[in-house]
Amino acid sequence: MMKIENITKSYKKQEVLKGVDLSCKTDQIQALLGANGAGKSTLINIISGLIKTDDGAFFIDDKRITIDSYKYRIKVGYVFEKPIYIEKLSAKEYLTFVAKMYKLPKNEYPQRIEELLTFFELPSDNKKYIESYSKGMKSKVSLAAALIHQPSYLILDEPFDGVDFVSIQKITRLFKDLTKKGVTILITSHQYDVVAELCDNFALLKAGKVIFNLTMPELVEKANIKHKNSENPVKSYLESLMNDSQESQLSWLK
Amino acid sequence: MNNILKIQIRKKLFLIPLIIIPFFIATKSYIIIFLLLQGRFFNVFQQADFQVHLYHITGSTLKKMLHSYNLSWGIWFNLWFILSQTIYLFSNSGSFQFIIIELIDFNIILFISFIIGNMLSNSDLITIKIGLLKTMAASFVFGTCISLAFALLKILTLLNTPIFIHLILLMIMVGIWQYYTKQQLQIKFIQYYL
């Protein structure tokens, strides 16, 4: 179980996170939704140990994770909003590099790499470097690196950025299979349809706070009350919560 | 280290210490190179040729990174310095022993640069918000230490100190570098490299 407890973060005088509480249950996929600038990536960076929190804590299996919790960090696979990869290496070379950093046994990682390259449809030769890959391929490299060490937890910030819909379907099936094997996943994404299909729980981060954390049936129930006549009540409900400002007119375009 | 060398070759970073050749042939000194390229030493994490977060999230210790990174640069610095010496020898006369002493002294300065550079890179200095002030402070510390070490080595050379004294000094520096990097477990201010 991953638990975020009262995390606060300010940059200069701006309070980005105002006491975020969130529990990600074991074997489940937790979605973290929010408009641009809601603080999702800041929260992901904090729980990944890349940024220090002003207050609050992050727990994995009831163990408080600090910036120094190396042993716990390797139980987690990460994908960041700005994907980490080495542009001057091929996917195969990069995955080998990552496997060595995780100290995976030499007799194990070559096969894992081959399987990951096949699964994500990435080039298995070393002719092209990651810098020449498309955005979607770079996201896939990042995802492959997050999975190589068989993590028990996945923290994924916009993992499907630029990924084609066929691959997204394949990856979502993989994530569902992983949860059946006991993996806990926290995911942020702006692709509503993907998240709706994939996740078990939906938390909405707004103005630096989690305003709800509901299961899909609970979300449907709430949405049906307020957006009964809409074609997709849940989507409309989320949209109304995420964007409460009036639509701009862009008068010069009309 | 193979991967770091590969990245440095592909990014053509290995060519950076090439500027040692004209400077060495013109002045017969190498200290200016260390002063010119000092940012390579005291900005290890910004200049690491890849995102250092990778070390953080994979639970890899910093000592592994510092070892590979320093040694890879050690290879390139030595490669170009030896080439400079060879070119110099062909165009000027000089004793072989003198050349060897100079190579040893060059490596002593190199390891001192690694030690000070690694220390500064992972020190509270990183938290200075004004970039210029941070660079000036690091540059002052690095430049002073390197210049002092260089002056001491020159005195030893002028006193015709035997080659084994230079070798012992080199081994001491390698030992200190090894000891210091082994103590380094994590990047203290990882948030500054986002």
Side-chain angles (χ1 to χ4, degrees):
Chain A
M1 186 176 173
M2 293 193 284
K3 197 175 162 197
I4 295 164
E5 210 174 82
N6 194 33
I7 283 185
T8 60
K9 182 72 189 173
S10 298
Y11 288 112
K12 292 179 183 169
K13 282 178 186 171
Q14 199 196 349
E15 213 177 357
V16 182
L17 301 174
K18 300 171 185 168
V20 174
D21 291 300
L22 184 65
S23 287
C24 311
K25 291 168 194 151
T26 310
D27 315 345
Q28 293 207 345
I29 306 180
Q30 172 75 55
L32 181 63
L33 307 170
N36 292 329
K40 300 185 299 293
S41 294
T42 304
L43 184 65
I44 296 285
N45 284 337
I46 286 173
I47 63 177
S48 310
L50 295 177
I51 298 178
K52 276 182 186 163
T53 172
D54 295 340
D55 198 9
F58 173 56
F59 299 87
I60 289 182
D61 295 338
D62 295 326
K63 156 92 179 149
R64 190 181 177 149
I65 305 299
T66 64
I67 214 155
D68 310 321
S69 305
Y70 278 85
K71 282 181 187 167
Y72 273 83
R73 199 161 297 134
I74 57 171
K75 286 185 174 184
V76 187
Y78 302 94
V79 169
F80 294 100
E81 188 188 26
K82 193 180 160 196
I84 294 180
Y85 49 78
I86 300 173
E87 54 188 18
K88 285 287 179 190
L89 295 180
S90 68
K92 193 177 185 176
E93 287 171 332
Y94 175 65
L95 293 176
T96 308
F97 188 52
V98 174
K100 284 180 182 172
M101 292 180 95
Y102 278 120
K103 297 186 183 82
L104 297 182
K106 271 182 188 169
N107 56 349
E108 261 183 44
Y109 69 75
Q111 197 198 335
R112 284 192 193 184
I113 290 168
E114 286 306 323
E115 286 178 15
L116 281 167
L117 292 173
T118 312
F119 181 84
F120 287 104
E121 292 165 61
L122 290 164
S124 57
D125 55 38
N126 294 327
K127 286 177 191 162
K128 273 188 171 180
Y129 304 149
I130 298 173
E131 65 179 358
S132 67
Y133 291 4
S134 67
K135 194 176 180 185
M137 284 167 83
K138 285 174 180 168
S139 294
K140 287 178 179 180
V141 171
S142 214
L143 267 166
L147 295 168
I148 198 164
H149 59 299
Q150 219 178 349
S152 307
Y153 302 90
L154 282 169
I155 296 175
L156 312 168
D157 194 1
E158 297 291 343
F160 304 117
D161 205 10
V163 179
D164 63 273
F165 74 92
V166 179
S167 299
I168 290 178
Q169 292 297 316
K170 213 165 133 184
I171 298 164
T172 51
R173 279 198 298 273
L174 171 74
F175 286 166
K176 282 180 180 173
D177 286 345
L178 287 174
T179 54
K180 282 176 197 159
K181 287 172 189 160
V183 177
T184 308
I185 303 175
L186 172 66
I187 187 167
T188 79
S189 178
H190 290 298
Q191 289 157 286
Y192 168 75
D193 297 329
V194 178
V195 173
E197 195 198 319
L198 176 68
C199 298
D200 303 299
N201 295 294
F202 302 82
L204 183 68
L205 188 64
K206 190 180 178 184
K209 279 199 158 198
V210 170
I211 59 168
F212 66 67
N213 187 18
L214 304 169
T215 60
M216 192 46 129
E218 288 168 340
L219 194 58
V220 169
E221 196 181 317
K222 274 209 165 191
N224 277 334
I225 296 167
K226 292 182 179 173
H227 296 266
K228 205 160 76 181
N229 300 325
S230 171
E231 200 178 310
N232 188 337
V234 175
K235 197 172 180 180
S236 304
Y237 177 54
L238 289 173
E239 273 171 6
S240 68
L241 286 171
M242 282 159 74
N243 182 20
D244 48 14
S245 65
Q246 288 206 330
E247 271 190 35
S248 64
Q249 291 303 306
L250 304 182
S251 58
W252 76 97
L253 291 176
K254 291 183 178 175
Chain B
M1 193 164 86
N2 281 351
N3 280 303
I4 292 184
L5 287 173
K6 215 181 274 179
I7 296 162
Q8 287 171 340
I9 291 169
R10 287 174 187 174
K11 281 191 165 180
K12 298 180 178 66
L13 293 168
F14 73 103
L15 293 172
I16 290 173
L18 181 73
I19 55 162
I20 210 164
I21 297 177
F23 277 106
F24 186 76
I25 291 167
T27 62
K28 214 187 165 297
S29 175
Y30 49 80
I31 188 66
I32 189 83
I33 304 306
F34 287 94
L35 297 175
L36 277 175
L37 301 179
Q38 54 183 290
R40 284 266 141 210
F41 296 98
F42 65 68
N43 277 333
V44 171
F45 306 128
Q46 285 103 321
Q47 311 264 345
D49 317 328
F50 55 87
Q51 291 144 300
V52 287
H53 311 114
L54 200 54
Y55 276 87
H56 193 72
I57 60 171
T58 54
S60 262
T61 51
L62 185 55
K63 65 179 176 188
K64 198 177 170 187
M65 181 212 158
L66 290 175
H67 263 120
S68 325
Y69 189 72
N70 288 163
L71 289 178
S72 63
W73 277 109
I75 290 171
W76 305 128
F77 270 82
N78 270 287
L79 174 78
W80 298 118
F81 184 64
I82 292 168
L83 191 66
S84 311
Q85 284 190 314
T86 314
I87 295 170
Y88 186 83
L89 260 184
F90 273 109
S91 50
N92 301 276
S93 58
S95 77
F96 187 68
Q97 191 185 338
F98 183 75
I99 292 292
I100 295 295
I101 288 177
E102 206 148 46
L103 182 61
I104 295 168
D105 287 355
F106 176 82
N107 278 284
I108 292 173
I109 297 288
L110 189 63
F111 275 93
I112 294 175
S113 301
F114 289 150
I115 297 163
I116 298 163
N118 293 348
M119 279 177 176
L120 291 174
S121 300
N122 211 19
S123 70
D124 290 20
L125 204 76
I126 300 301
T127 60
I128 298 177
K129 283 177 183 156
I130 305 162
L132 182 68
L133 197 67
K134 186 166 35 183
T135 309
M136 277 169 66
S139 188
F140 175 75
V141 176
F142 185 87
T144 310
C145 295
I146 292 300
S147 304
L148 276 173
F150 182 72
L152 284 170
L153 288 172
K154 278 289 150 200
I155 292 169
L156 285 182
T157 310
L158 287 173
L159 294 173
N160 280 326
T161 319
I163 197 164
F164 77 90
I165 299 284
H166 292 263
L167 263 178
I168 287 169
L169 276 175
L170 175 60
M171 282 192 282
I172 291 170
M173 285 311 148
V174 174
I176 295 173
W177 169 76
Q178 182 84 353
Y179 177 79
Y180 177 77
T181 45
K182 267 193 173 177
Q183 313 297 313
Q184 300 303 298
L185 298 178
Q186 57 164 324
I187 301 170
K188 280 185 197 159
F189 304 103
I190 187 80
Q191 67 269 32
Y192 286 83
Y193 304 105
L194 272 181

